[in-house]
PDB file of all heavy atoms in Angstrom:
ATOM      1  N   MET A   1      49.657  -7.972   8.260  1.00 66.00           N
ATOM      2  CA  MET A   1      48.915  -6.867   8.730  1.00 66.00           C
ATOM      3  C   MET A   1      48.109  -6.221   7.543  1.00 66.00           C
ATOM      4  O   MET A   1      47.026  -5.891   7.705  1.00 66.00           O
ATOM      5  CB  MET A   1      49.940  -5.883   9.214  1.00 66.00           C
ATOM      6  CG  MET A   1      49.308  -4.759   9.981  1.00 66.00           C
ATOM      7  SD  MET A   1      48.463  -5.405  11.492  1.00 66.00           S
ATOM      8  CE  MET A   1      48.486  -4.075  12.524  1.00 66.00           C
ATOM      9  N   LYS A   2      48.724  -6.180   6.291  1.00 66.00           N
ATOM     10  CA  LYS A   2      48.020  -5.670   5.219  1.00 66.00           C
ATOM     11  C   LYS A   2      46.852  -6.542   4.809  1.00 66.00           C
ATOM     12  O   LYS A   2      45.716  -6.046   4.440  1.00 66.00           O
ATOM     13  CB  LYS A   2      48.903  -5.622   3.943  1.00 66.00           C
ATOM     14  CG  LYS A   2      50.004  -4.471   4.099  1.00 66.00           C
ATOM     15  CD  LYS A   2      50.813  -4.461   2.822  1.00 66.00           C
ATOM     16  CE  LYS A   2      51.915  -3.376   2.998  1.00 66.00           C
ATOM     17  NZ  LYS A   2      52.764  -3.368   1.817  1.00 66.00           N
ATOM     18  N   LEU A   3      46.903  -7.849   5.034  1.00 64.00           N
ATOM     19  CA  LEU A   3      45.882  -8.836   4.895  1.00 64.00           C
ATOM     20  C   LEU A   3      44.658  -8.487   5.726  1.00 64.00           C
ATOM     21  O   LEU A   3      43.546  -8.502   5.349  1.00 64.00           O
ATOM     22  CB  LEU A   3      46.316 -10.204   5.012  1.00 64.00           C
ATOM     23  CG  LEU A   3      45.303 -11.240   4.699  1.00 64.00           C
ATOM     24  CD1 LEU A   3      44.873 -11.150   3.190  1.00 64.00           C
ATOM     25  CD2 LEU A   3      45.895 -12.642   4.929  1.00 64.00           C
ATOM     26  N   LEU A   4      44.963  -8.195   7.027  1.00 55.00           N
ATOM     27  CA  LEU A   4      43.860  -7.839   7.947  1.00 55.00           C
ATOM     28  C   LEU A   4      43.135  -6.522   7.477  1.00 55.00           C
ATOM     29  O   LEU A   4      41.970  -6.460   7.560  1.00 55.00           O
ATOM     30  CB  LEU A   4      44.468  -7.618   9.375  1.00 55.00           C
ATOM     31  CG  LEU A   4      43.529  -7.245  10.458  1.00 55.00           C
ATOM     32  CD1 LEU A   4      42.455  -8.369  10.602  1.00 55.00           C
ATOM     33  CD2 LEU A   4      44.245  -6.975  11.677  1.00 55.00           C
ATOM     34  N   TYR A   5      43.924  -5.474   7.060  1.00 53.00           N
ATOM     35  CA  TYR A   5      43.248  -4.265   6.590  1.00 53.00           C
ATOM     36  C   TYR A   5      42.409  -4.511   5.403  1.00 53.00           C
ATOM     37  O   TYR A   5      41.341  -3.949   5.263  1.00 53.00           O
ATOM     38  CB  TYR A   5      44.306  -3.210   6.312  1.00 53.00           C
ATOM     39  CG  TYR A   5      44.894  -2.614   7.547  1.00 53.00           C
ATOM     40  CD1 TYR A   5      46.329  -2.552   7.704  1.00 53.00           C
ATOM     41  CD2 TYR A   5      44.124  -2.166   8.639  1.00 53.00           C
ATOM     42  CE1 TYR A   5      46.875  -2.025   8.828  1.00 53.00           C
ATOM     43  CE2 TYR A   5      44.693  -1.657   9.787  1.00 53.00           C
ATOM     44  CZ  TYR A   5      46.071  -1.568   9.866  1.00 53.00           C
ATOM     45  OH  TYR A   5      46.628  -1.077  10.982  1.00 53.00           O
ATOM     46  N   LEU A   6      42.918  -5.371   4.459  1.00 54.00           N
ATOM     47  CA  LEU A   6      42.197  -5.707   3.268  1.00 54.00           C
ATOM     48  C   LEU A   6      40.885  -6.387   3.620  1.00 54.00           C
ATOM     49  O   LEU A   6      39.842  -6.137   3.031  1.00 54.00           O
ATOM     50  CB  LEU A   6      43.089  -6.546   2.315  1.00 54.00           C
ATOM     51  CG  LEU A   6      42.450  -6.923   1.061  1.00 54.00           C
ATOM     52  CD1 LEU A   6      42.117  -5.664   0.156  1.00 54.00           C
ATOM     53  CD2 LEU A   6      43.365  -7.811   0.254  1.00 54.00           C
ATOM     54  N   LEU A   7      40.911  -7.318   4.524  1.00 49.00           N
ATOM     55  CA  LEU A   7      39.764  -8.093   4.961  1.00 49.00           C
ATOM     56  C   LEU A   7      38.726  -7.137   5.656  1.00 49.00           C
ATOM     57  O   LEU A   7      37.553  -7.235   5.270  1.00 49.00           O
ATOM     58  CB  LEU A   7      40.160  -9.232   5.909  1.00 49.00           C
ATOM     59  CG  LEU A   7      39.048 -10.054   6.450  1.00 49.00           C
ATOM     60  CD1 LEU A   7      38.428 -10.876   5.350  1.00 49.00           C
ATOM     61  CD2 LEU A   7      39.570 -11.012   7.564  1.00 49.00           C
ATOM     62  N   ILE A   8      39.250  -6.293   6.464  1.00 60.00           N
ATOM     63  CA  ILE A   8      38.293  -5.337   7.111  1.00 60.00           C
ATOM     64  C   ILE A   8      37.633  -4.391   6.053  1.00 60.00           C
ATOM     65  O   ILE A   8      36.407  -4.103   6.165  1.00 60.00           O
ATOM     66  CB  ILE A   8      39.029  -4.511   8.219  1.00 60.00           C
ATOM     67  CG1 ILE A   8      39.413  -5.420   9.382  1.00 60.00           C
ATOM     68  CG2 ILE A   8      38.180  -3.323   8.666  1.00 60.00           C
ATOM     69  CD1 ILE A   8      40.335  -4.761  10.391  1.00 60.00           C
ATOM     70  N   ALA A   9      38.420  -3.874   5.088  1.00 56.00           N
ATOM     71  CA  ALA A   9      37.880  -3.049   4.020  1.00 56.00           C
ATOM     72  C   ALA A   9      36.823  -3.777   3.235  1.00 56.00           C
ATOM     73  O   ALA A   9      35.801  -3.273   2.889  1.00 56.00           O
ATOM     74  CB  ALA A   9      38.958  -2.522   3.193  1.00 56.00           C
ATOM     75  N   THR A  10      37.171  -5.029   2.890  1.00 52.00           N
ATOM     76  CA  THR A  10      36.218  -5.771   2.053  1.00 52.00           C
ATOM     77  C   THR A  10      34.881  -6.004   2.855  1.00 52.00           C
ATOM     78  O   THR A  10      33.771  -5.846   2.248  1.00 52.00           O
ATOM     79  CB  THR A  10      36.851  -7.158   1.728  1.00 52.00           C
ATOM     80  OG1 THR A  10      38.083  -6.919   1.045  1.00 52.00           O
ATOM     81  CG2 THR A  10      35.914  -7.991   0.817  1.00 52.00           C
ATOM     82  N   LEU A  11      34.993  -6.411   4.095  1.00 48.00           N
ATOM     83  CA  LEU A  11      33.764  -6.611   4.887  1.00 48.00           C
ATOM     84  C   LEU A  11      32.986  -5.287   5.064  1.00 48.00           C
ATOM     85  O   LEU A  11      31.802  -5.355   4.973  1.00 48.00           O
ATOM     86  CB  LEU A  11      34.183  -7.163   6.271  1.00 48.00           C
ATOM     87  CG  LEU A  11      34.663  -8.652   6.348  1.00 48.00           C
ATOM     88  CD1 LEU A  11      35.100  -9.025   7.668  1.00 48.00           C
ATOM     89  CD2 LEU A  11      33.590  -9.573   5.721  1.00 48.00           C
ATOM     90  N   SER A  12      33.609  -4.195   5.209  1.00 48.00           N
ATOM     91  CA  SER A  12      32.919  -2.922   5.363  1.00 48.00           C
ATOM     92  C   SER A  12      32.118  -2.614   4.130  1.00 48.00           C
ATOM     93  O   SER A  12      31.039  -2.195   4.126  1.00 48.00           O
ATOM     94  CB  SER A  12      33.910  -1.830   5.731  1.00 48.00           C
ATOM     95  OG  SER A  12      34.530  -2.059   6.971  1.00 48.00           O
ATOM     96  N   LEU A  13      32.843  -2.789   2.925  1.00 48.00           N
ATOM     97  CA  LEU A  13      32.150  -2.408   1.741  1.00 48.00           C
ATOM     98  C   LEU A  13      31.010  -3.417   1.388  1.00 48.00           C
ATOM     99  O   LEU A  13      30.020  -3.009   0.867  1.00 48.00           O
ATOM    100  CB  LEU A  13      33.241  -2.503   0.507  1.00 48.00           C
ATOM    101  CG  LEU A  13      34.274  -1.398   0.588  1.00 48.00           C
ATOM    102  CD1 LEU A  13      35.272  -1.620  -0.567  1.00 48.00           C
ATOM    103  CD2 LEU A  13      33.547  -0.034   0.405  1.00 48.00           C
ATOM    104  N   THR A  14      31.227  -4.647   1.735  1.00 47.00           N
ATOM    105  CA  THR A  14      30.128  -5.650   1.563  1.00 47.00           C
ATOM    106  C   THR A  14      28.841  -5.241   2.374  1.00 47.00           C
ATOM    107  O   THR A  14      27.772  -5.291   1.970  1.00 47.00           O
ATOM    108  CB  THR A  14      30.573  -7.042   1.930  1.00 47.00           C
ATOM    109  OG1 THR A  14      31.720  -7.325   1.145  1.00 47.00           O
ATOM    110  CG2 THR A  14      29.515  -8.061   1.702  1.00 47.00           C
ATOM    111  N   GLY A  15      29.150  -4.863   3.610  1.00 45.00           N
ATOM    112  CA  GLY A  15      28.019  -4.331   4.530  1.00 45.00           C
ATOM    113  C   GLY A  15      27.312  -3.227   3.912  1.00 45.00           C
ATOM    114  O   GLY A  15      26.112  -3.135   3.990  1.00 45.00           O
ATOM    115  N   CYS A  16      28.020  -2.262   3.353  1.00 47.00           N
ATOM    116  CA  CYS A  16      27.418  -1.065   2.730  1.00 47.00           C
ATOM    117  C   CYS A  16      26.553  -1.425   1.540  1.00 47.00           C
ATOM    118  O   CYS A  16      25.492  -0.881   1.390  1.00 47.00           O
ATOM    119  CB  CYS A  16      28.476  -0.074   2.292  1.00 47.00           C
ATOM    120  SG  CYS A  16      29.268   0.753   3.745  1.00 47.00           S
ATOM    121  N   ILE A  17      27.085  -2.383   0.759  1.00 46.00           N
ATOM    122  CA  ILE A  17      26.333  -2.756  -0.391  1.00 46.00           C
ATOM    123  C   ILE A  17      25.022  -3.423  -0.057  1.00 46.00           C
ATOM    124  O   ILE A  17      23.967  -3.147  -0.575  1.00 46.00           O
ATOM    125  CB  ILE A  17      27.171  -3.708  -1.305  1.00 46.00           C
ATOM    126  CG1 ILE A  17      28.303  -2.936  -1.900  1.00 46.00           C
ATOM    127  CG2 ILE A  17      26.350  -4.422  -2.339  1.00 46.00           C
ATOM    128  CD1 ILE A  17      29.377  -3.781  -2.637  1.00 46.00           C
ATOM    129  N   PHE A  18      25.043  -4.323   0.949  1.00 45.00           N
ATOM    130  CA  PHE A  18      23.787  -4.998   1.336  1.00 45.00           C
ATOM    131  C   PHE A  18      22.882  -4.046   2.060  1.00 45.00           C
ATOM    132  O   PHE A  18      21.636  -4.141   1.883  1.00 45.00           O
ATOM    133  CB  PHE A  18      24.128  -6.223   2.252  1.00 45.00           C
ATOM    134  CG  PHE A  18      24.714  -7.394   1.544  1.00 45.00           C
ATOM    135  CD1 PHE A  18      25.938  -7.967   1.951  1.00 45.00           C
ATOM    136  CD2 PHE A  18      24.056  -7.876   0.396  1.00 45.00           C
ATOM    137  CE1 PHE A  18      26.477  -9.039   1.243  1.00 45.00           C
ATOM    138  CE2 PHE A  18      24.634  -8.974  -0.272  1.00 45.00           C
ATOM    139  CZ  PHE A  18      25.809  -9.503   0.133  1.00 45.00           C
TER     140      PHE A  18
END
Side-chain angles (χ1 to χ4, degrees):
M1 194 63 155
K2 289 182 182 179
L3 184 60
L4 178 63
Y5 289 129
L6 181 63
L7 181 63
I8 291 171
T10 303
L11 290 175
S12 296
L13 290 175
T14 304
C16 290
I17 290 170
F18 287 125

